[in-house]
C-alpha cells in the first residue's frame, strides 16, 4: 500500500495525476487535498471507492497541513508521496499589479510548498522513505510578460526543491520538481482559438500537453526505482525550452 497526497485535487492536473496513480498502481491510496469546488474530486473518489478520498486542506495554513497529515497517518500509518500541485495565477504587468495579486499568488504557489514539505518531512524521516514532487512551471525558467508574481513563485519552488533535496537525501527521501508548459486544463480555458493557435506555433510538437503526460512523469519520480533521482527539475513542454 502506498499513501499519496495530491494538493489541488479538484483541478484538471491534480485530478489527472490522481487518476494516473489509481489506474496504474493497484496499491495506491490517493488523498485529494481540496478546499472548495469538490464536484470533480468527489466523482473521482466515488469511481475509486475505498482507494481515493478527499481531505480538507487550505494549503497556505500550517494548521490545515498538520491536520491533513494526521488524518492520513492515522488511516494508513504512513505517508509515502506528496505531490504539491495546488496553485493559481493572477497575471498583470508589474507596474499595475496590486499588492493582493502579488501576495496571493506567491502564497498559493510557494508558501504552500514550504508548509507542505515541512509537514510531511517528520513522517517520511521516521519511515526512512518518502517521495516529494513539486509542480512548478515552465514560467520558472522561461517567464512570459505579465507573470512576475507567478514566475517568481515557481522559480522559488525549483530552488526550494533543490535545496531540500540535499537536506533530506540521507533519510531516503527524494525531492523533485516538474515544470509543465501548456497543458490542456482549465488554466487554458480563457484562451481563445486564435491565441491557442499562436501558442501552438511556438511549441515544436505543435500541440498542448495532456494531464496524463505530466502524471506519468510524476509517477516515475514518485516510484521506488527513482531512488537516485533527487533535486531535479524536469520540464514537460513539448520542446519549447
Amino acid at each position: 500500500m502506498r499513501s499519496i497526497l495530491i494538493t489541488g485535487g479538484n483541478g484538471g492536473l491534480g485530478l489527472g495525476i490522481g487518476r494516473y496513480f489509481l489506474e496504474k498502481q493497484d496499491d495506491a491510496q490517493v488523498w485529494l487535498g481540496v478546499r472548495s469546488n469538490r464536484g470533480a474530486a468527489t466523482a473521482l473518489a466515488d469511481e475509486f471507492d475505498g482507494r481515493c478520498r478527499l481531505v480538507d486542506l487550505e494549503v497556505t495554513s500550517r494548521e490545515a497541513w498538520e491536520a491533513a497529515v494526521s488524518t492520513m497517518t492515522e488511516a494508513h500509518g504512513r505517508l509515502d508521496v506528496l505531490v504539491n500541485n495546488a496553485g493559481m495565477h493572477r497575471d498583470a504587468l508589474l507596474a499595475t499589479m496590486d499588492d493582493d495579486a502579488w501576495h496571493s499568488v506567491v502564497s498559493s504557489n510557494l508558501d504552500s510548498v514550504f508548509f507542505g514539505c515541512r509537514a510531511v518531512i517528520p513522517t517520511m524521516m521516521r519511515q526512512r522513505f518518502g517521495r516529494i514532487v513539486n509542480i512548478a512551471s515552465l514560467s520558472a525558467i522561461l517567464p512570459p510578460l505579465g507573470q512576475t508574481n507567478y514566475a517568481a513563485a515557481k522559480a522559488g519552488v525549483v530552488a526550494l526543491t533543490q535545496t531540500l533535496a540535499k537536506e533530506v537525501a540521507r533519510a531516503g527521501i527524494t525531492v523533485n520538481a516538474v515544470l509543465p508548459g501548456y497543458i490542456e486544463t482549465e488554466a487554458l480555458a480563457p484562451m481563445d482559438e486564435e491565441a491557442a493557435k499562436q501558442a501552438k506555433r511556438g511549441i515544436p510538437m505543435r500541440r498542448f500537453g495532456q494531464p496524463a503526460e505530466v502524471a506519468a512523469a510524476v509517477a516515475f519520480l514518485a516510484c521506488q526505482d527513482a531512488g537516485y533521482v533527487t533535486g531535479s527539475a524536469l520540464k514537460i513542454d513539448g520542446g519549447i525550452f
Side-chain angles (χ1 to χ4, degrees):
M1 185 271 292
R2 301 182 78 215
S3 178
I4 301 162
L5 173 57
I6 303 167
T7 71
N10 55 350
L13 189 53
L15 289 165
I17 294 169
R19 176 175 292 280
Y20 193 94
F21 277 115
L22 290 163
E23 290 182 344
K24 303 292 186 180
Q25 300 179 13
D26 292 338
D27 63 343
Q29 293 284 334
V30 171
W31 294 71
L32 301 173
V34 295
R35 183 186 62 179
S36 59
N37 300 324
R38 297 168 176 244
T42 299
L44 185 64
D46 290 343
E47 183 179 346
F48 292 91
D49 186 33
R51 295 182 53 217
C52 181
R53 297 180 236 187
L54 275 57
V55 61
D56 291 326
L57 185 53
E58 167 50 70
V59 293
T60 61
S61 164
R62 175 180 60 82
E63 292 81 8
W65 271 106
E66 291 173 353
V69 170
S70 178
T71 296
M72 291 185 64
T73 54
E74 287 175 8
H76 303 305
R78 59 187 299 112
L79 199 169
D80 297 292
V81 179
L82 168 63
V83 182
N84 278 308
N85 168 68
M88 61 174 286
H89 61 86
R90 291 175 58 185
D91 297 352
L93 296 176
L94 186 142
T96 58
M97 183 179 294
D98 61 40
D99 291 358
D100 185 62
W102 174 268
H103 290 298
S104 62
V105 168
V106 171
S107 181
S108 64
N109 290 283
L110 181 56
D111 292 352
S112 63
V113 175
F114 162 70
F115 284 123
C117 291
R118 191 176 64 176
V120 304
I121 286 295
T123 297
M124 290 182 174
M125 291 189 75
R126 285 193 297 271
Q127 298 168 175
R128 307 297 291 179
F129 177 87
R131 298 285 185 264
I132 297 173
V133 183
N134 297 322
I135 308 299
S137 169
L138 190 65
S139 294
I141 56 174
L142 192 66
L145 294 171
Q147 284 195 346
T148 50
N149 50 1
Y150 184 76
K154 291 301 190 181
V157 170
V158 173
L160 183 154
T161 296
Q162 294 170 336
T163 304
L164 180 59
K166 297 177 181 179
E167 296 179 359
V168 298
R170 289 200 290 177
I173 302 167
T174 66
V175 190
N176 293 286
V178 297
L179 284 62
Y182 290 100
I183 306 298
E184 291 269 18
T185 67
E186 69 282 351
L188 297 186
M191 187 178 291
D192 61 35
E193 185 177 352
E194 184 55 38
K197 288 181 180 179
Q198 184 175 350
K200 289 175 183 177
R201 284 196 289 267
I203 304 170
M205 287 190 175
R206 295 296 191 269
R207 67 174 179 87
F208 294 150
Q210 297 300 312
E213 294 173 307
V214 178
V218 172
F220 165 70
L221 293 170
C223 78
Q224 183 79 33
D225 292 341
Y228 204 58
V229 182
T230 196
S232 68
L234 175 62
K235 62 183 182 65
I236 306 173
D237 66 348
I240 294 174
F241 189 83

